[in-house]
Every structure is written in structure tokens, then in C-alpha cells.
Amino acid sequence: MPTTPELAAQVGAELKDKKLLLSVAESCTGGGVSQAITEIAGSSEWFDCGFVTYSNSSKTELLDISAALIARHGAVSEEIAAAMAEGAIAHSEANVSLSTTGIAGPTGAVPGKPVGTVCFGWTVGGVTHTERLVFSGDRHAVREQTVRHALAKLLRYLQEL
């Protein structure tokens, strides 16, 4: 798999080529996806904004995710990842988005959601896709794997357009 900087550059090239604009909504990555993207010179041509919505209340306030939906599914769920991706588009100028929400550890595990559980959302071409994975390693490793996977899968969706 390419490195995170290589993935970010490839995502940028696809977005620029297709004249698309990206926004991101992050929880467990705490801005890591946005940082990887903005490391790329010229990213302002294809990156609109990032929302770091770490708390449930920030997900509600900044992305308009209902507290009832969070209560029903939990913040770490594919339903919330989808709502985050869709909220990132609704509250930006972007037409493509990705989201991350998960349990990076070392604490926070709940029944059915061990440390390393991450849910992703991608809205590309008007369609929202989600995925749930469980990564291994310490907090840093989970977060880095999450950033790389989010970018790699976004690249794949963009290439399919």
C-alpha cells in the first residue's frame, strides 16, 4: 500500500482532475486526515474543510446529527459515519467527503466494539458508502491505519467515477 503522503497526493490528483472538492468529518483521527491532505502543496484547489467532531455534542452541533441517532446506534457505528460524511457535504462547499469515527484506545471499548473498531463513511458521486473495520496496535497505530484506509478507499471510489 502507498504511504499516507502518496495516498493524499493521489486523492488530490483525482479530485483536481475531476474538478471535485473534498470535506472531511473526523472523530477518532482528530484531524489526521485533514493534516495528511494539507501537507500536499496546492491542496486548497481540491480541499474545502475538515470538521473535528470528537464529542457527541459537536457531531450534533456542527454536522446536524441527531442525538437520538447517536443514542440509538452509538457514536462508533456505520450509521453515524454515514451521517458524518453527509453532514460534511451539507455544511461545506464540497461534493465529496469522508468520515472517521472509532475507538483508538487504550480505553473506550464497549461490548461488540473492541479497541481498534473504526467506522468510515464516504460520499462520492451522491452515494454514501460505509465500512467497519477493527485495527490492531496502540492508539497511534490505530489512528494511522485509519487515516491510510480512509484515503485509500476514497481514492478507489474516485477512480470508479
Side-chain angles (χ1 to χ4, degrees):
M1 176 183 263
T3 66
T4 300
E6 290 168 342
L7 284 167
Q10 291 171 353
V11 163
E14 285 290 326
L15 288 163
K16 188 174 175 181
D17 183 56
K18 292 177 168 60
K19 297 178 178 28
L20 297 170
L21 195 57
L22 174 67
S23 65
V24 302
E26 303 181 67
S27 186
C28 65
T29 47
V33 174
S34 296
Q35 181 180 358
I37 288 167
T38 58
E39 287 288 327
I40 306 303
S43 58
S44 60
E45 294 180 49
W46 46 269
F47 181 61
D48 184 41
C49 65
F51 299 88
V52 177
T53 55
Y54 209 68
S55 69
N56 289 347
S57 62
S58 69
K59 290 173 181 65
T60 299
E61 293 168 18
L62 298 175
L63 300 174
D64 284 334
I65 299 172
S66 78
L69 187 68
I70 295 171
R72 188 174 324 120
H73 298 286
V76 179
S77 64
E78 289 183 67
E79 291 83 0
I80 298 305
M84 289 172 68
E86 292 164 0
I89 287 179
H91 296 281
S92 71
E93 298 298 317
N95 42 26
V96 172
S97 68
L98 71 81
S99 67
T100 63
T101 182
I103 305 166
T107 61
V110 297
K113 296 178 186 178
V115 167
T117 301
V118 179
C119 295
F120 298 87
W122 300 270
T123 300
V124 180
V127 177
T128 300
H129 310 270
T130 63
E131 184 175 22
R132 176 184 161 160
L133 295 174
V134 179
F135 296 113
S136 60
D138 65 12
R139 182 177 182 79
H140 177 77
V142 169
R143 289 164 49 112
E144 178 58 28
Q145 290 171 85
T146 300
V147 169
R148 288 181 68 202
H149 183 76
L151 290 170
K153 197 78 173 242
L154 176 60
L155 180 61
R156 192 170 326 151
Y157 287 127
L158 290 169
Q159 290 171 334
E160 293 172 358
L161 281 179

